[in-house]
Amino acid sequence: MHLGQYPVEHLARQTTLRPVQIGGATGHAPPTTGLAGIAREYTKAFFDADTIPVASEKVSLPAVRDLTNEIKATCHFLDTTAVGVCAVTDGPDDCARAVVILVEPGRAPEPTNAASAWLDGKIIDFANLRCTEIAVVLAGYIRQLGHQAHLFYDHSSTDRLVDLAVAAGIGRQKGSQLEVPFIGPNYALAAVLTSLPLAVDKPLAPNGSLISTSLRLRHFFGFGGVQSTLHKHTLHRRATHLGNYPMERIRRRSKPTTLILEDEVPRVPKRAGFFARAGHGDLGAKTQRERDRFATKHPLAFAMSPLMHVMVPIQDGPVGSVKAGTTKNPVTNTKAVRSLAYMLGADMVGVGEAVSYAWYSHDADGIPLPVRHKHAIVMMIDQGYDTSEGSSGDDWISGSQSMRAYLRGAGIAGVLAAQLRSLGYSARAHTNRQSDVLHLPLILHAGLGELSRIGELVLNPFLGPRSKSVVVTTDMPLERDQPIDFGLQDFCAKCTKCARECPCNAISYKNKVMFNGYEMWKPDVERCTRYRVTNPKGSSCGRCMKVCPFANEGLISHRLFLWLAVHVPMTRRLIIKLDDVLQNGARNPVKRWWRDLTRTPAGSVEPATGTNERDLKDGVQSKVAAAQDIAYYPADAMPPADATEAWPLDRAKALQMQREMETPVQALARRKRID
């Protein structure tokens, strides 16, 4: 993981090191208008979020090389393009090392795409935004380890950052420019000065070709696990509004593949969500105590929290007084919105109706919420294939995986919503920190997946279940996508791998039921919430995402097997069995880059409880399948919208509901009788 996506370890290097003199203070790029101005507003907000203090106790550190690899892997986990370490001579607070970060910008929209005019050539501002995000998180993480860390940036002049990049072996000086192997001339730089005892990288060789013919060929075809030039060229031939995955090839239909009785789906208050219920004490004192820290027990996840908080006040805002004259065409608008979202870092984008039942009925204070907008722009953020491959799914990195996707999504949605408001249209970002909508129905209607056996999770054919969603609702004229059908209902009916591997037996082995108007494999949300919040040997849980055959770690990561799973139903049982035989979903030790740490009031320590180190069970369905009990808490069992005190659960009644729950066939028969 610390090697990154390019084969930089094979480049020719110097034998001598060159420490860099830091000099004076650094500065922000000056404010500006338009979309670049929005990027700079978010960049400043991220700098303002650099508030994590230095822990009072230092964590026990591994060997210098292992520590350096961990810090580099952390940067790559956060989507750094290149990273290196150099020595500095006059850093503050005994900071003798600089971790230098380079980020490539996303793909610029075509000149004929309306988003190109929105950007006005200022795409580098968004690379600076990503650089800042990574640097702030890294600095906060290092401070949680008990060591000093200071941001070093200058978005108005990069001369000193170029010096650091040369010394850190990221690039070499070519006139007044930085020549970076494998990467074009556009990039953003940032650095974190630290007192961590890190190994220093050697600068690149000053003369001659850095990339040999054999290395160029290896890179072109992707040997050694690097990002191949061939793949990159293939992607660049696709229109930017299509993204990196061929979703246009997936079958579409007028309605989702699961039955939704829309007039029977209730609008629910935020107070009814099980994480909200845990915070109010409905699930007991222990769950209430752990509610606000379960996802951020690891110091890396904790370092992301301030950035997510500072974005909440700017998720919504004033709307421009005049609608832009170039935004009347829904098709043109939709292409521009998609291209902008992909440029900002979304992995999947869809547009659907902002159905009324997706809106919460009341906010967290019990105040009624209106249905504000007609359209929902839904974006999916991959939680990180490489890290997931090395994880058990419910160990100490799982919370950081979720937080990284939520953080990235919040930034993308916030910038996109601000741009739509500037064009004269009401728009609001809905993030994991502050959302007025339930995401599940919007993902379905935006054509980004089907409801899976995992339960309240929409699975995408290319990302699998390993993603987080973020939504922008708006009244801008947009062209909507249709729901998709890639055979998942039949596949999940045959596959019970997620249920078998669930650590708390919360995923149903049983047939689908009608729950609050939805046909679904309804999970035991109480059981799932309790485990995720109080997991003693990890931070949160994503075990079901880890083991799913669609999780890009198994056979279905290969396009041939995906095609078979989608188009040839008779192969699905064989694929499911073969996925188990090949042990897909087991941990890959090569990708195990992080250390198991948990936060304490004084600092971060190795967890005394140990770590979940699960691999696959024997493939035989668990004996609990036949006797499995699932507790159902439908809308009429939810606490009132304004309930401030604990509203204890009646699990005995919820288990009885399992025997009384209507099946989809029964629901359709009832509706037919009524009609």
Side-chain angles (χ1 to χ4, degrees):
M1 188 72 172
H2 66 276
L3 295 175
Q5 58 185 306
Y6 295 109
V8 294
E9 68 273 20
H10 297 297
L11 297 173
R13 296 183 180 268
Q14 301 181 44
T15 57
T16 57
L17 304 178
R18 180 170 64 87
V20 177
Q21 188 173 5
I22 293 299
T26 53
H28 291 286
T32 189
T33 57
L35 190 49
I38 296 170
R40 294 185 186 186
E41 176 189 8
Y42 270 78
T43 300
K44 184 180 183 305
F46 285 173
F47 279 119
D48 292 343
D50 184 32
T51 57
I52 299 288
V54 178
S56 58
E57 294 184 9
K58 287 182 170 62
V59 70
S60 175
L61 296 177
V64 170
R65 175 49 62 187
D66 291 338
L67 175 63
T68 306
N69 289 348
E70 176 195 325
I71 293 299
K72 288 184 175 182
T74 301
C75 293
H76 288 303
F77 169 66
L78 297 170
D79 297 319
T80 300
T81 306
V83 58
V85 179
C86 68
V88 296
T89 59
D90 56 347
D93 296 324
D94 298 321
C95 291
R97 296 289 183 267
V99 181
V100 187
I101 298 161
L102 182 144
V103 170
E104 286 182 286
R107 286 182 64 201
E110 300 85 354
T112 55
N113 188 305
S116 181
W118 298 351
L119 285 162
D120 191 28
K122 305 293 194 338
I123 194 170
I124 198 65
D125 281 291
F126 295 92
N128 284 330
L129 174 60
R130 177 66 59 79
C131 244
T132 302
E133 173 194 309
I134 295 169
V136 172
V137 172
L138 179 64
Y141 175 57
I142 291 173
R143 292 190 205 114
Q144 280 290 289
L145 301 182
H147 286 263
Q148 292 288 345
H150 296 272
L151 302 183
F152 186 85
Y153 60 93
D154 191 341
H155 291 163
S156 57
S157 173
T158 61
D159 290 348
R160 284 172 290 179
L161 283 168
V162 167
D163 288 343
L164 288 170
V166 170
I170 289 177
R172 65 182 180 183
Q173 199 84 37
K174 190 174 183 180
S176 60
Q177 300 297 315
L178 180 69
E179 179 191 11
V180 185
F182 311 111
I183 297 167
N186 296 319
Y187 54 81
L189 291 167
V192 174
L193 309 179
T194 180
S195 60
L196 276 178
L198 302 176
V200 175
D201 291 298
K202 295 177 180 177
L204 298 178
N207 302 309
S209 175
L210 288 170
I211 307 175
S212 65
T213 301
S214 61
L215 181 56
R216 198 176 299 278
L217 284 171
R218 291 172 64 187
H219 178 223
F220 183 82
F221 290 108
F223 294 143
V226 300
Q227 176 179 287
S228 73
T229 308
L230 179 61
H231 179 63
K232 200 170 183 179
H233 287 337
T234 301
L235 292 181
H236 279 219
R237 287 197 297 269
R238 285 174 61 79
T240 57
H241 70 275
L242 295 177
N244 291 347
Y245 299 97
M247 285 293 291
E248 68 275 9
R249 299 181 187 175
I250 301 298
R251 182 169 55 243
R252 301 278 171 168
R253 50 187 289 172
S254 59
K255 294 182 179 180
T257 53
T258 46
L259 175 66
I260 304 176
L261 303 176
E262 296 194 347
D263 58 340
E264 296 185 13
V265 180
R267 288 181 65 192
V268 298
K270 292 187 180 183
R271 176 64 175 83
F274 262 78
F275 285 135
R277 299 196 69 174
H280 280 85
D282 297 5
L283 281 68
K286 180 180 180 181
T287 309
Q288 183 178 27
R289 185 173 62 251
E290 292 293 301
R291 165 61 184 84
D292 290 334
R293 69 179 294 269
F294 78 98
T296 59
K297 289 191 288 188
H298 194 279
L300 179 56
F302 181 70
M304 303 179 203
S305 297
L307 289 86
M308 300 172 75
H309 285 302
V310 297
M311 285 188 280
V312 171
I314 50 179
Q315 286 182 205
D316 205 348
V319 179
S321 57
V322 179
K323 288 182 171 59
T326 57
T327 58
K328 296 179 180 179
N329 187 321
V331 175
T332 301
N333 291 344
T334 304
K335 285 185 176 180
V337 162
R338 288 176 177 276
S339 293
L340 179 58
Y342 283 127
M343 188 277 292
L344 292 170
D347 292 294
M348 199 72 69
V349 183
V351 179
E353 180 185 1
V355 290
S356 60
Y357 55 85
W359 293 80
Y360 283 110
S361 63
H362 298 75
D363 69 11
D365 297 320
I367 300 171
L369 289 170
V371 175
R372 287 183 54 185
H373 300 124
K374 298 185 297 183
H375 305 296
I377 304 163
V378 185
M379 291 156 283
M380 310 295 287
I381 314 299
D382 193 333
Q383 290 188 207
Y385 162 62
D386 286 305
T387 297
S388 178
E389 195 183 12
S391 168
S392 70
D394 62 339
D395 52 20
W396 291 98
I397 200 62
S398 55
S400 299
Q401 286 189 270
S402 295
M403 292 289 282
R404 170 196 160 277
Y406 283 136
L407 170 60
R408 186 65 41 74
I412 294 168
V415 169
L416 177 57
Q419 171 62 12
L420 300 190
R421 293 194 298 270
S422 75
L423 296 172
Y425 296 95
S426 178
R428 185 193 192 281
H430 301 268
T431 70
N432 79 309
R433 277 289 188 266
Q434 182 61 259
S435 178
D436 287 347
V437 294
L438 291 156
H439 291 201
L440 184 149
L442 301 181
I443 302 171
L444 285 173
H445 283 284
L448 293 183
E450 293 186 53
L451 207 54
S452 67
R453 180 178 288 276
I454 292 173
E456 296 173 349
L457 185 144
V458 179
L459 192 151
N460 181 274
F462 297 102
L463 297 179
R466 194 194 60 246
S467 63
K468 298 299 184 188
S469 59
V470 69
V471 173
V472 171
T473 56
T474 183
D475 285 333
M476 172 184 257
L478 295 171
E479 181 185 42
R480 292 174 182 165
D481 295 293
Q482 287 186 309
I484 61 173
D485 178 0
F486 60 100
L488 187 68
Q489 302 313 297
D490 180 60
F491 193 98
C492 283
K494 294 178 168 66
C495 181
T496 58
K497 192 170 184 176
C498 59
R500 184 191 78 207
E501 298 293 336
C502 177
C504 58
N505 192 29
I507 298 175
S508 176
Y509 284 98
K510 302 178 184 299
N511 294 326
K512 291 189 278 190
V513 299
M514 294 302 297
F515 183 84
N516 286 348
Y518 290 89
E519 174 194 9
M520 65 167 64
W521 286 283
K522 178 63 180 172
D524 192 324
V525 181
E526 177 194 353
R527 201 176 271 158
C528 176
T529 303
R530 287 186 187 278
Y531 181 76
R532 291 167 72 184
V533 171
T534 64
N535 179 1
K537 294 186 177 182
S539 172
S540 192
C541 181
R543 178 71 180 159
C544 50
M545 303 181 199
K546 160 72 179 177
V547 301
C548 175
F550 279 90
N552 285 9
E553 296 179 38
L555 287 178
I556 297 178
S557 64
H558 303 283
R559 293 293 169 87
L560 171 61
F561 286 96
L562 175 59
W563 187 90
L564 289 171
V566 171
H567 297 288
V568 188
M570 67 180 64
T571 66
R572 290 169 184 160
R573 288 192 185 278
L574 177 61
I575 290 172
I576 291 164
K577 184 172 183 177
L578 193 56
D579 197 70
D580 258 345
V581 169
L582 296 175
Q583 289 288 290
N584 290 322
R587 293 170 297 159
N588 178 356
V590 173
K591 298 296 185 181
R592 176 68 163 77
W593 60 267
W594 65 92
R595 280 184 300 144
D596 296 331
L597 295 170
T598 186
R599 291 189 303 112
T600 71
S604 300
V605 298
E606 293 182 4
T609 52
T611 300
N612 292 314
E613 296 181 342
R614 308 178 195 277
D615 280 312
L616 296 178
K617 296 180 180 177
D618 59 12
V620 178
Q621 185 164 298
S622 170
K623 293 180 181 179
V624 304
Q628 185 185 41
D629 279 329
I630 300 288
Y632 294 131
Y633 296 91
D636 57 8
M638 295 174 180
D642 58 353
T644 57
E645 301 299 322
W647 194 269
L649 303 173
D650 187 344
R651 186 167 178 85
K653 184 177 179 181
L655 290 171
Q656 177 63 29
M657 289 295 299
Q658 174 185 238
R659 290 171 278 280
E660 300 173 2
M661 199 65 65
E662 197 175 37
T663 68
V665 173
Q666 291 170 336
L668 287 174
R670 171 177 57 80
R671 294 287 292 236
K672 188 175 182 179
R673 289 195 303 271
I674 294 173
D675 294 342

